[in-house]
Structure formats: C-alpha cells, structure tokens
Amino acid sequence: MEVDRALVLGLIEACREIIARHADHLSELDRAIGDGDHGTNMRRGCEAVYADRETLAGLPFPQAVERMGMTLVMSIGGAAGPLYGTLLLEIGRNLAAGDGAVSFGDALGPAVEAVARRSRAKEGEKTLLDVLYPVRAEVVRRTALPDIADRADASAQRTIAMKAMRGRASFLGDRSIGHMDPGAFSCALLTTAICRHLMEYRPA
Amino acid sequence: MNGKGANVGIVIVSHSPLVAQGTADMVRQMVGDCVPLAWCGGNVGGGLGTNVAGILKAIEEAWSDAGVVVFVDLGGAETNSEMAIEMLGAERAERVAICNAPLVEGAVIAAAEASGGASLSRVVATAEELSP
C-alpha cells in the first residue's frame, strides 16, 4: 500500500476537524445514555494525534497507525480509548506483519474482532461495533468510498432504535432506546471524514 | 518478612481522584504499610474519567512479585485497566487480576487478606465473595 506523507497529514487533519466540529453533539449524545464526556474525550485523542502528526507522517504507514493507536489509548480515556486504540494498534500490527502484501481490508478484519473481544460486545448491542462491522464488510467488498460513508452513517442511525447491552448505557435498559449511541456516531463521523478525504485526495 | 514484594499489592481505579484516594486512605488505615498500595483516578485532563497511563503507573507503584489486585468502579475503568495490564507484557500481566468486587469494601477486605500473606488467587476470591 502506497501512503505518502501528505495523505497521512491530511487524514489526521480531517479526523481532528470532524471530531472538533461535532464534539459538543457527541457529548450531548453521551449525556443522554452515558457519562457525557465522549466528545471531550474524542477531541482530546484527536488533538494528541494531531500534535504528533509530523512524527507520524515520517513513519512507514503500518508503524504510523500503530503509534496513533497507542496515542489514542493514552489520551482518550473512557472506554473509547482502549476501543479505538485497539482498532488502530491491530490494524497497524496486521499491516506490518503482512510486510506490504496485506490490504487494508485484510488488516481491518481481525482488528474489528479485537475490538469486539475488548468490549465484550456483539453486533446489535448499541456500540461502535454496530458501525465497525458494516464498514468492515463494505471495505472488504471494496465498495466505493461514498457508499462506505453512507453505510456508516445509516448504521449509526440504526443504533437509535437499539437497547444498550454494554457499558454505562446498559444501566438504563429500555430508557436507552431512542438515543443514538455516541460511540457509533463518532465511528461514523471518522469513517465519513476518512472516505471524503480519500475521495478528494490527489497525490502531488 | 512482609517487605515490599512479599504481599499482594492493591490498586484502586476510580473515575474520581477523590474516590480513589479516599479508598486508598481507608485501606492504609486498615493495614498500615505492609501492603503495596497505589491509586489512580481521573482522566489525563484532570477531569472525571480513567486513563491507561495512570493505571499503568499505579500498577508499577504497587508492584509485588506475589501479584497485584486491581479494583475498578465503572465500565471504562475496567476496560482501561485491562489495556494497562496487557501493556505490562505477558509475563507480568499474568500476575495482575481485576477483582469483581465493590470498590471500597473489596479493596479493604482484599488488603486485610493480603496483609496476612495470602496468595493472589486467595485475595481475589475473598474480595469476590462480597459480590452477589
């Protein structure tokens, strides 16, 4: 996989920008069914990655992704830190182990399983996995980027009707129905930002 | 004979620094300094929450060759503690257990058990008896 320096910088900026723009909304969603800090946590994580962007852009792509994962683990906090961190750590490790011969979809597959193990959640339990699984399916299918973004957004919307089975939201039982899961929404936002940036990106 | 390293260590992890510190104070009062003890509370920004780096540091502080028991309050504290434990490396991670017990009662009862030189599994089992 050819990933140049400008592309890494652009992706980091795109993710930081979309989370910053929606941070208040993410925290509002989290106030309804969690502890109200998902937006501030995600913003802190994205800012920490952004602060490290020059180093990241100088690394081979698999190592950059792994390092981003570790930064997210150390800075996001909450349950989202280990979950997003595990996702990126595993993607990076899988890409590195494949020594250039592994597609992003191949690396993403087991990484999503690692997130599921860490969260002990399944599909349909109103978590970020309800976006990660469909996105993975589309990436593996090599779906066009706009359609991956649409699927991510639709998948986040579908969590509104779900009853939370994991995490703080599960304490609310039926009262969690009717609210979008904040983790699913941040996952959809990041997917959209990445897809959009990849669509618009033209190598120099 | 009960020097550092001989007794199982205790780590308290709470979303609130005040809760974590207060619980650690109670444990100290119960067992003195014969049990390695550390706490971690709050996120990296200083607000309510938990953070992996802080938990890792607390485990290092309370490290004992006999093992370390970690007490957590809510969901994110557990997930972050699991991540921190994995980062210790496989060999040391095996000697750290997250205890499924109430934070305050669990930590106090575990410390009492640990102060007598009980094994890691014994300390965990005693504290987990408190859980329904």
Side-chain angles (χ1 to χ4, degrees):
Chain A
M1 179 160 35
E2 281 301 314
V3 183
D4 66 29
R5 179 183 169 81
L7 180 56
V8 171
L9 288 172
L11 287 170
I12 290 171
E13 169 61 27
C15 290
R16 184 190 78 105
E17 192 274 330
I18 205 163
I19 291 297
R21 188 146 44 90
H22 291 86
D24 290 345
H25 185 206
L26 284 168
S27 285
E28 262 167 50
L29 291 174
D30 196 29
R31 255 192 295 284
I33 60 171
D35 54 3
D37 60 3
H38 190 58
T40 40
N41 284 348
M42 290 303 292
R43 182 160 51 195
R44 190 168 50 236
C46 289
E47 292 295 341
V49 170
Y50 184 74
D52 194 33
R53 65 190 181 283
E54 289 301 330
T55 305
L56 290 166
L59 291 172
F61 188 63
Q63 281 85 326
V65 175
E66 194 173 342
R67 184 176 164 108
M68 278 180 218
M70 189 54 77
T71 302
L72 292 179
V73 167
M74 290 304 182
S75 60
I76 294 183
L83 300 185
Y84 279 113
T86 296
L87 181 71
L88 294 193
L89 284 168
E90 289 293 320
I91 291 173
R93 284 172 195 156
N94 295 339
L95 287 173
D99 207 17
V102 167
S103 75
F104 189 78
D106 291 339
L108 181 62
V112 173
E113 293 307 329
V115 176
R117 278 196 302 278
R118 165 122 16 240
S119 62
R120 296 192 210 96
K122 296 192 290 287
E123 211 163 352
E125 294 187 336
K126 204 178 177 98
T127 72
L128 84 170
L129 285 172
D130 293 315
V131 173
L132 277 182
Y133 277 120
V135 165
R136 178 180 71 173
E138 301 298 352
V139 171
V140 168
R141 233 176 262 143
R142 296 182 181 273
T143 306
L145 290 166
D147 298 332
I148 297 176
D150 286 350
R151 180 82 193 273
D153 187 54
S155 301
Q157 299 292 336
R158 285 186 59 226
T159 66
I160 294 174
M162 292 177 185
K163 178 173 164 177
M165 308 297 283
R166 293 291 310 160
R168 196 87 40 91
S170 64
F171 297 171
L172 294 172
D174 286 342
R175 281 181 291 145
S176 67
I177 298 170
H179 300 278
M180 193 191 300
D181 179 66
F185 187 50
S186 62
C187 194
L189 287 173
L190 291 167
T191 304
T192 303
I194 291 166
C195 288
R196 268 194 214 141
H197 189 76
L198 291 174
M199 278 184 267
E200 291 162 6
Y201 181 72
R202 296 286 175 274
Chain B
M1 147 161 188
N2 280 346
K4 183 165 170 131
N7 288 332
V8 169
I10 309 274
V11 168
I12 321 276
V13 180
S14 170
H15 280 62
S16 157
L18 294 174
V19 169
Q21 187 180 13
T23 306
D25 283 346
M26 280 181 69
V27 169
R28 244 330 148 231
Q29 198 157 36
M30 296 290 291
V31 300
D33 57 6
C34 69
V35 172
L37 172 71
W39 60 269
C40 173
N43 62 31
V44 289
L48 296 178
T50 55
N51 79 89
V52 172
I55 296 168
L56 198 55
K57 185 163 164 278
I59 294 172
E60 300 278 4
E61 268 173 46
W63 185 259
S64 159
D65 291 341
V68 174
V69 192
V70 181
F71 291 88
V72 298
D73 56 4
L74 294 163
E78 185 178 11
T79 316
N80 275 310
S81 296
E82 287 170 355
M83 192 94 211
I85 291 167
E86 279 175 32
M87 289 165 66
L88 290 168
E91 197 190 321
R92 289 209 297 166
E94 268 178 26
R95 289 193 247 175
V96 185
I98 298 175
C99 198
N100 177 25
L103 187 75
V104 177
E105 295 89 333
V108 168
I109 200 103
E113 190 74 35
S115 69
S119 68
L120 178 65
S121 59
R122 178 81 213 140
V123 171
V124 171
T126 303
E128 288 189 341
E129 277 173 25
L130 294 164
S131 290

mmCIF file of all heavy atoms in Angstrom, chain A residues 35 37 41 44 70 73-79 81-83 85-86 89 118 120 167-168 171, chain B residues 15 43-46 48-53 56 74-80 82-83 86-87:
data_model
loop_
_atom_site.group_PDB
_atom_site.id
_atom_site.type_symbol
_atom_site.label_atom_id
_atom_site.label_comp_id
_atom_site.label_asym_id
_atom_site.label_seq_id
_atom_site.Cartn_x
_atom_site.Cartn_y
_atom_site.Cartn_z
ATOM 1 N N ASP A 35 -21.862 9.008 30.342
ATOM 2 C CA ASP A 35 -21.416 9.964 31.354
ATOM 3 C C ASP A 35 -21.043 11.317 30.757
ATOM 4 O O ASP A 35 -20.456 12.157 31.438
ATOM 5 C CB ASP A 35 -20.293 9.398 32.220
ATOM 6 C CG ASP A 35 -19.137 8.894 31.388
ATOM 7 O OD1 ASP A 35 -19.195 9.050 30.151
ATOM 8 O OD2 ASP A 35 -18.193 8.344 31.955
ATOM 9 N N ASP A 37 -19.018 12.519 28.384
ATOM 10 C CA ASP A 37 -17.689 13.038 28.043
ATOM 11 C C ASP A 37 -17.133 12.493 26.730
ATOM 12 O O ASP A 37 -15.967 12.696 26.427
ATOM 13 C CB ASP A 37 -16.706 12.758 29.197
ATOM 14 C CG ASP A 37 -16.555 11.274 29.489
ATOM 15 O OD1 ASP A 37 -17.173 10.460 28.764
ATOM 16 O OD2 ASP A 37 -15.839 10.921 30.442
ATOM 17 N N ASN A 41 -13.556 13.587 25.253
ATOM 18 C CA ASN A 41 -12.554 12.516 25.197
ATOM 19 C C ASN A 41 -12.017 12.331 23.778
ATOM 20 O O ASN A 41 -10.804 12.239 23.563
ATOM 21 C CB ASN A 41 -13.146 11.195 25.683
ATOM 22 C CG ASN A 41 -13.290 11.144 27.189
ATOM 23 O OD1 ASN A 41 -12.756 11.988 27.901
ATOM 24 N ND2 ASN A 41 -14.014 10.165 27.676
ATOM 25 N N ARG A 44 -9.838 15.205 22.718
ATOM 26 C CA ARG A 44 -8.512 15.123 23.334
ATOM 27 C C ARG A 44 -7.633 14.119 22.576
ATOM 28 O O ARG A 44 -6.460 14.363 22.320
ATOM 29 C CB ARG A 44 -8.640 14.729 24.807
ATOM 30 C CG ARG A 44 -7.353 14.854 25.587
ATOM 31 C CD ARG A 44 -7.574 14.734 27.090
ATOM 32 N NE ARG A 44 -8.364 13.575 27.413
ATOM 33 C CZ ARG A 44 -9.499 13.593 28.095
ATOM 34 N NH1 ARG A 44 -9.970 14.723 28.571
ATOM 35 N NH2 ARG A 44 -10.173 12.496 28.319
ATOM 36 N N MET A 70 -1.638 3.845 19.965
ATOM 37 C CA MET A 70 -1.101 3.988 21.319
ATOM 38 C C MET A 70 -1.393 5.386 21.865
ATOM 39 O O MET A 70 -1.751 5.534 23.035
ATOM 40 C CB MET A 70 0.412 3.708 21.289
ATOM 41 C CG MET A 70 1.052 3.614 22.647
ATOM 42 S SD MET A 70 0.231 2.414 23.735
ATOM 43 C CE MET A 70 0.875 0.873 23.074
ATOM 44 N N VAL A 73 -4.998 5.408 23.005
ATOM 45 C CA VAL A 73 -5.144 4.684 24.276
ATOM 46 C C VAL A 73 -4.746 5.585 25.439
ATOM 47 O O VAL A 73 -5.427 5.660 26.467
ATOM 48 C CB VAL A 73 -4.260 3.416 24.299
ATOM 49 C CG1 VAL A 73 -4.169 2.846 25.700
ATOM 50 C CG2 VAL A 73 -4.801 2.373 23.343
ATOM 51 N N MET A 74 -3.630 6.282 25.253
ATOM 52 C CA MET A 74 -3.073 7.064 26.348
ATOM 53 C C MET A 74 -3.785 8.389 26.575
ATOM 54 O O MET A 74 -3.627 9.011 27.612
ATOM 55 C CB MET A 74 -1.581 7.336 26.086
ATOM 56 C CG MET A 74 -0.717 6.106 26.207
ATOM 57 S SD MET A 74 -0.914 5.341 27.835
ATOM 58 C CE MET A 74 0.241 3.986 27.709
ATOM 59 N N SER A 75 -4.555 8.843 25.587
ATOM 60 C CA SER A 75 -5.120 10.189 25.736
ATOM 61 C C SER A 75 -6.642 10.248 25.795
ATOM 62 O O SER A 75 -7.187 11.144 26.441
ATOM 63 C CB SER A 75 -4.622 11.094 24.607
ATOM 64 O OG SER A 75 -5.003 10.570 23.356
ATOM 65 N N ILE A 76 -7.353 9.347 25.140
ATOM 66 C CA ILE A 76 -8.817 9.482 25.091
ATOM 67 C C ILE A 76 -9.436 9.247 26.464
ATOM 68 O O ILE A 76 -10.261 10.018 26.939
ATOM 69 C CB ILE A 76 -9.458 8.517 24.072
ATOM 70 C CG1 ILE A 76 -9.053 8.871 22.644
ATOM 71 C CG2 ILE A 76 -10.991 8.592 24.178
ATOM 72 C CD1 ILE A 76 -9.713 8.003 21.580
ATOM 73 N N GLY A 77 -9.031 8.167 27.116
ATOM 74 C CA GLY A 77 -9.676 7.804 28.381
ATOM 75 C C GLY A 77 -11.029 7.174 28.108
ATOM 76 O O GLY A 77 -11.340 6.824 26.963
ATOM 77 N N GLY A 78 -11.839 7.035 29.145
ATOM 78 C CA GLY A 78 -13.137 6.379 28.979
ATOM 79 C C GLY A 78 -12.970 4.982 28.415
ATOM 80 O O GLY A 78 -11.878 4.426 28.445
ATOM 81 N N ALA A 79 -14.042 4.418 27.899
ATOM 82 C CA ALA A 79 -13.910 3.109 27.265
ATOM 83 C C ALA A 79 -13.483 3.274 25.814
ATOM 84 O O ALA A 79 -12.940 2.355 25.209
ATOM 85 C CB ALA A 79 -15.229 2.351 27.346
ATOM 86 N N GLY A 81 -11.063 4.997 24.560
ATOM 87 C CA GLY A 81 -9.609 4.964 24.372
ATOM 88 C C GLY A 81 -9.120 3.568 24.018
ATOM 89 O O GLY A 81 -8.525 3.352 22.965
ATOM 90 N N PRO A 82 -9.381 2.589 24.897
ATOM 91 C CA PRO A 82 -8.962 1.226 24.578
ATOM 92 C C PRO A 82 -9.615 0.668 23.309
ATOM 93 O O PRO A 82 -8.993 -0.120 22.601
ATOM 94 C CB PRO A 82 -9.419 0.417 25.794
ATOM 95 C CG PRO A 82 -9.535 1.395 26.891
ATOM 96 C CD PRO A 82 -9.884 2.712 26.267
ATOM 97 N N LEU A 83 -10.842 1.090 23.006
ATOM 98 C CA LEU A 83 -11.529 0.516 21.838
ATOM 99 C C LEU A 83 -10.944 1.059 20.533
ATOM 100 O O LEU A 83 -10.521 0.289 19.672
ATOM 101 C CB LEU A 83 -13.036 0.776 21.906
ATOM 102 C CG LEU A 83 -13.729 0.173 23.132
ATOM 103 C CD1 LEU A 83 -15.237 0.381 23.062
ATOM 104 C CD2 LEU A 83 -13.432 -1.315 23.268
ATOM 105 N N GLY A 85 -8.162 2.625 20.317
ATOM 106 C CA GLY A 85 -6.736 2.302 20.374
ATOM 107 C C GLY A 85 -6.469 0.890 19.891
ATOM 108 O O GLY A 85 -5.571 0.653 19.081
ATOM 109 N N THR A 86 -7.263 -0.049 20.374
ATOM 110 C CA THR A 86 -7.101 -1.443 19.954
ATOM 111 C C THR A 86 -7.298 -1.581 18.450
ATOM 112 O O THR A 86 -6.538 -2.277 17.768
ATOM 113 C CB THR A 86 -8.118 -2.341 20.698
ATOM 114 O OG1 THR A 86 -7.813 -2.295 22.091
ATOM 115 C CG2 THR A 86 -8.063 -3.778 20.219
ATOM 116 N N LEU A 89 -4.114 -0.101 16.800
ATOM 117 C CA LEU A 89 -2.943 -0.931 17.117
ATOM 118 C C LEU A 89 -2.967 -2.214 16.293
ATOM 119 O O LEU A 89 -1.958 -2.636 15.724
ATOM 120 C CB LEU A 89 -2.942 -1.300 18.612
ATOM 121 C CG LEU A 89 -2.511 -0.210 19.602
ATOM 122 C CD1 LEU A 89 -2.858 -0.627 21.035
ATOM 123 C CD2 LEU A 89 -1.017 0.050 19.484
ATOM 124 N N ARG A 118 -12.331 -6.914 23.174
ATOM 125 C CA ARG A 118 -12.019 -5.975 24.244
ATOM 126 C C ARG A 118 -13.299 -5.413 24.869
ATOM 127 O O ARG A 118 -13.374 -5.241 26.070
ATOM 128 C CB ARG A 118 -11.130 -4.850 23.707
ATOM 129 C CG ARG A 118 -11.043 -3.682 24.583
ATOM 130 C CD ARG A 118 -9.658 -3.244 25.065
ATOM 131 N NE ARG A 118 -8.497 -3.723 24.435
ATOM 132 C CZ ARG A 118 -7.555 -4.424 25.094
ATOM 133 N NH1 ARG A 118 -7.707 -4.727 26.360
ATOM 134 N NH2 ARG A 118 -6.489 -4.813 24.472
ATOM 135 N N ARG A 120 -16.235 -6.875 24.753
ATOM 136 C CA ARG A 120 -17.143 -7.988 25.047
ATOM 137 C C ARG A 120 -18.554 -7.686 24.551
ATOM 138 O O ARG A 120 -19.545 -8.012 25.191
ATOM 139 C CB ARG A 120 -17.164 -8.305 26.542
ATOM 140 C CG ARG A 120 -15.807 -8.798 27.019
ATOM 141 C CD ARG A 120 -15.888 -9.382 28.417
ATOM 142 N NE ARG A 120 -14.639 -9.190 29.104
ATOM 143 C CZ ARG A 120 -14.401 -8.181 29.940
ATOM 144 N NH1 ARG A 120 -15.354 -7.325 30.223
ATOM 145 N NH2 ARG A 120 -13.234 -8.075 30.517
ATOM 146 N N GLY A 167 -21.755 -1.419 28.673
ATOM 147 C CA GLY A 167 -21.314 -0.120 29.168
ATOM 148 C C GLY A 167 -22.351 0.562 30.043
ATOM 149 O O GLY A 167 -23.356 -0.026 30.433
ATOM 150 N N ARG A 168 -22.064 1.834 30.317
ATOM 151 C CA ARG A 168 -22.916 2.617 31.213
ATOM 152 C C ARG A 168 -24.352 2.679 30.724
ATOM 153 O O ARG A 168 -25.298 2.658 31.505
ATOM 154 C CB ARG A 168 -22.357 4.045 31.285
ATOM 155 C CG ARG A 168 -22.870 4.886 32.421
ATOM 156 C CD ARG A 168 -22.033 4.668 33.639
ATOM 157 N NE ARG A 168 -20.629 4.559 33.290
ATOM 158 C CZ ARG A 168 -19.789 5.582 33.252
ATOM 159 N NH1 ARG A 168 -20.219 6.772 33.529
ATOM 160 N NH2 ARG A 168 -18.538 5.412 32.951
ATOM 161 N N PHE A 171 -27.149 0.329 31.910
ATOM 162 C CA PHE A 171 -27.838 0.523 33.192
ATOM 163 C C PHE A 171 -29.231 1.116 32.974
ATOM 164 O O PHE A 171 -30.114 0.985 33.813
ATOM 165 C CB PHE A 171 -27.061 1.484 34.116
ATOM 166 C CG PHE A 171 -25.693 0.981 34.537
ATOM 167 C CD1 PHE A 171 -24.813 1.821 35.206
ATOM 168 C CD2 PHE A 171 -25.284 -0.323 34.273
ATOM 169 C CE1 PHE A 171 -23.552 1.372 35.605
ATOM 170 C CE2 PHE A 171 -24.028 -0.772 34.657
ATOM 171 C CZ PHE A 171 -23.162 0.072 35.311
ATOM 172 N N HIS B 15 -13.163 6.613 38.525
ATOM 173 C CA HIS B 15 -13.318 7.770 37.651
ATOM 174 C C HIS B 15 -12.999 9.058 38.417
ATOM 175 O O HIS B 15 -12.658 10.065 37.828
ATOM 176 C CB HIS B 15 -14.748 7.845 37.118
ATOM 177 C CG HIS B 15 -14.999 6.909 35.972
ATOM 178 N ND1 HIS B 15 -14.891 5.547 36.091
ATOM 179 C CD2 HIS B 15 -15.347 7.149 34.683
ATOM 180 C CE1 HIS B 15 -15.159 4.989 34.914
ATOM 181 N NE2 HIS B 15 -15.441 5.938 34.049
ATOM 182 N N ASN B 43 -9.188 11.436 34.362
ATOM 183 C CA ASN B 43 -8.620 11.287 33.018
ATOM 184 C C ASN B 43 -7.338 12.117 32.900
ATOM 185 O O ASN B 43 -6.942 12.787 33.854
ATOM 186 C CB ASN B 43 -9.654 11.686 31.948
ATOM 187 C CG ASN B 43 -10.082 13.146 32.046
ATOM 188 O OD1 ASN B 43 -9.304 14.004 32.450
ATOM 189 N ND2 ASN B 43 -11.326 13.418 31.690
ATOM 190 N N VAL B 44 -6.710 12.062 31.722
ATOM 191 C CA VAL B 44 -5.433 12.772 31.576
ATOM 192 C C VAL B 44 -5.607 14.283 31.640
ATOM 193 O O VAL B 44 -4.660 15.015 31.909
ATOM 194 C CB VAL B 44 -4.693 12.388 30.259
ATOM 195 C CG1 VAL B 44 -4.152 10.990 30.334
ATOM 196 C CG2 VAL B 44 -5.594 12.547 29.048
ATOM 197 N N GLY B 45 -6.840 14.761 31.435
ATOM 198 C CA GLY B 45 -7.089 16.197 31.514
ATOM 199 C C GLY B 45 -7.385 16.673 32.931
ATOM 200 O O GLY B 45 -7.627 17.854 33.150
ATOM 201 N N GLY B 46 -7.393 15.729 33.878
ATOM 202 C CA GLY B 46 -7.645 16.097 35.265
ATOM 203 C C GLY B 46 -9.118 16.020 35.659
ATOM 204 O O GLY B 46 -9.463 16.205 36.822
ATOM 205 N N LEU B 48 -13.081 13.976 35.588
ATOM 206 C CA LEU B 48 -13.559 12.638 35.918
ATOM 207 C C LEU B 48 -13.286 11.710 34.738
ATOM 208 O O LEU B 48 -13.451 12.087 33.591
ATOM 209 C CB LEU B 48 -15.068 12.664 36.212
ATOM 210 C CG LEU B 48 -15.507 13.477 37.434
ATOM 211 C CD1 LEU B 48 -17.025 13.438 37.561
ATOM 212 C CD2 LEU B 48 -14.872 12.937 38.709
ATOM 213 N N GLY B 49 -12.906 10.474 35.041
ATOM 214 C CA GLY B 49 -12.619 9.512 33.980
ATOM 215 C C GLY B 49 -11.487 8.605 34.417
ATOM 216 O O GLY B 49 -11.058 8.646 35.576
ATOM 217 N N THR B 50 -11.031 7.777 33.490
ATOM 218 C CA THR B 50 -9.893 6.925 33.821
ATOM 219 C C THR B 50 -8.892 6.994 32.683
ATOM 220 O O THR B 50 -9.257 7.335 31.567
ATOM 221 C CB THR B 50 -10.312 5.453 34.027
ATOM 222 O OG1 THR B 50 -11.019 4.993 32.879
ATOM 223 C CG2 THR B 50 -11.190 5.301 35.248
ATOM 224 N N ASN B 51 -7.651 6.702 32.971
ATOM 225 C CA ASN B 51 -6.666 6.719 31.892
ATOM 226 C C ASN B 51 -5.627 5.623 32.053
ATOM 227 O O ASN B 51 -5.206 5.289 33.158
ATOM 228 C CB ASN B 51 -6.022 8.103 31.791
ATOM 229 C CG ASN B 51 -4.963 8.337 32.836
ATOM 230 O OD1 ASN B 51 -3.800 8.030 32.612
ATOM 231 N ND2 ASN B 51 -5.359 8.855 33.992
ATOM 232 N N VAL B 52 -5.256 5.062 30.903
ATOM 233 C CA VAL B 52 -4.377 3.889 30.872
ATOM 234 C C VAL B 52 -3.000 4.191 31.455
ATOM 235 O O VAL B 52 -2.468 3.406 32.240
ATOM 236 C CB VAL B 52 -4.243 3.366 29.425
ATOM 237 C CG1 VAL B 52 -3.187 2.274 29.343
ATOM 238 C CG2 VAL B 52 -5.581 2.824 28.931
ATOM 239 N N ALA B 53 -2.432 5.342 31.076
ATOM 240 C CA ALA B 53 -1.078 5.659 31.555
ATOM 241 C C ALA B 53 -1.046 5.724 33.084
ATOM 242 O O ALA B 53 -0.116 5.217 33.728
ATOM 243 C CB ALA B 53 -0.614 6.978 30.955
ATOM 244 N N LEU B 56 -1.355 2.218 34.563
ATOM 245 C CA LEU B 56 -0.087 1.508 34.399
ATOM 246 C C LEU B 56 0.913 1.943 35.476
ATOM 247 O O LEU B 56 1.587 1.122 36.106
ATOM 248 C CB LEU B 56 0.452 1.841 32.996
ATOM 249 C CG LEU B 56 1.509 0.961 32.377
ATOM 250 C CD1 LEU B 56 1.069 -0.494 32.345
ATOM 251 C CD2 LEU B 56 1.801 1.439 30.951
ATOM 252 N N LEU B 74 -16.472 1.787 37.457
ATOM 253 C CA LEU B 74 -17.424 1.557 36.372
ATOM 254 C C LEU B 74 -16.723 1.149 35.081
ATOM 255 O O LEU B 74 -15.509 1.249 34.965
ATOM 256 C CB LEU B 74 -18.246 2.829 36.140
ATOM 257 C CG LEU B 74 -19.172 3.224 37.307
ATOM 258 C CD1 LEU B 74 -19.606 4.673 37.173
ATOM 259 C CD2 LEU B 74 -20.388 2.303 37.371
ATOM 260 N N GLY B 75 -17.555 0.752 34.098
ATOM 261 C CA GLY B 75 -17.120 0.211 32.791
ATOM 262 C C GLY B 75 -15.779 0.642 32.234
ATOM 263 O O GLY B 75 -14.893 -0.179 32.034
ATOM 264 N N GLY B 76 -15.615 1.951 31.984
ATOM 265 C CA GLY B 76 -14.384 2.424 31.356
ATOM 266 C C GLY B 76 -13.157 2.141 32.208
ATOM 267 O O GLY B 76 -12.069 1.914 31.682
ATOM 268 N N ALA B 77 -13.342 2.123 33.509
ATOM 269 C CA ALA B 77 -12.232 1.836 34.422
ATOM 270 C C ALA B 77 -11.741 0.401 34.203
ATOM 271 O O ALA B 77 -10.538 0.131 34.230
ATOM 272 C CB ALA B 77 -12.675 2.021 35.874
ATOM 273 N N GLU B 78 -12.684 -0.488 33.957
ATOM 274 C CA GLU B 78 -12.312 -1.892 33.736
ATOM 275 C C GLU B 78 -11.599 -2.056 32.387
ATOM 276 O O GLU B 78 -10.542 -2.688 32.306
ATOM 277 C CB GLU B 78 -13.558 -2.778 33.796
ATOM 278 C CG GLU B 78 -13.222 -4.252 33.698
ATOM 279 C CD GLU B 78 -14.448 -5.150 33.802
ATOM 280 O OE1 GLU B 78 -15.587 -4.628 33.745
ATOM 281 O OE2 GLU B 78 -14.262 -6.365 33.926
ATOM 282 N N THR B 79 -12.182 -1.463 31.329
ATOM 283 C CA THR B 79 -11.576 -1.597 30.001
ATOM 284 C C THR B 79 -10.176 -0.977 29.989
ATOM 285 O O THR B 79 -9.240 -1.559 29.443
ATOM 286 C CB THR B 79 -12.452 -0.894 28.946
ATOM 287 O OG1 THR B 79 -13.814 -1.225 29.198
ATOM 288 C CG2 THR B 79 -12.095 -1.349 27.547
ATOM 289 N N ASN B 80 -10.039 0.191 30.596
ATOM 290 C CA ASN B 80 -8.724 0.831 30.635
ATOM 291 C C ASN B 80 -7.734 0.029 31.478
ATOM 292 O O ASN B 80 -6.550 -0.031 31.162
ATOM 293 C CB ASN B 80 -8.846 2.262 31.174
ATOM 294 C CG ASN B 80 -9.208 3.258 30.091
ATOM 295 O OD1 ASN B 80 -8.585 3.292 29.047
ATOM 296 N ND2 ASN B 80 -10.236 4.058 30.321
ATOM 297 N N GLU B 82 -7.774 -3.246 31.851
ATOM 298 C CA GLU B 82 -7.388 -4.413 31.041
ATOM 299 C C GLU B 82 -6.300 -4.047 30.050
ATOM 300 O O GLU B 82 -5.339 -4.790 29.842
ATOM 301 C CB GLU B 82 -8.609 -4.957 30.288
ATOM 302 C CG GLU B 82 -9.591 -5.692 31.182
ATOM 303 C CD GLU B 82 -10.905 -6.018 30.482
ATOM 304 O OE1 GLU B 82 -11.104 -5.590 29.333
ATOM 305 O OE2 GLU B 82 -11.727 -6.688 31.110
ATOM 306 N N MET B 83 -6.462 -2.866 29.434
ATOM 307 C CA MET B 83 -5.476 -2.409 28.459
ATOM 308 C C MET B 83 -4.123 -2.181 29.146
ATOM 309 O O MET B 83 -3.083 -2.587 28.629
ATOM 310 C CB MET B 83 -5.983 -1.090 27.867
ATOM 311 C CG MET B 83 -5.246 -0.624 26.658
ATOM 312 S SD MET B 83 -6.066 -1.179 25.154
ATOM 313 C CE MET B 83 -4.642 -1.352 24.084
ATOM 314 N N GLU B 86 -2.387 -5.474 29.906
ATOM 315 C CA GLU B 86 -1.767 -6.085 28.719
ATOM 316 C C GLU B 86 -0.443 -5.425 28.388
ATOM 317 O O GLU B 86 0.484 -6.071 27.899
ATOM 318 C CB GLU B 86 -2.692 -5.960 27.511
ATOM 319 C CG GLU B 86 -3.765 -7.025 27.506
ATOM 320 C CD GLU B 86 -4.749 -6.816 26.362
ATOM 321 O OE1 GLU B 86 -4.329 -6.313 25.302
ATOM 322 O OE2 GLU B 86 -5.923 -7.146 26.553
ATOM 323 N N MET B 87 -0.365 -4.116 28.673
ATOM 324 C CA MET B 87 0.849 -3.393 28.323
ATOM 325 C C MET B 87 2.028 -3.723 29.245
ATOM 326 O O MET B 87 3.160 -3.330 28.967
ATOM 327 C CB MET B 87 0.567 -1.889 28.302
ATOM 328 C CG MET B 87 -0.294 -1.513 27.099
ATOM 329 S SD MET B 87 -1.034 0.113 27.202
ATOM 330 C CE MET B 87 0.419 1.112 27.142
#
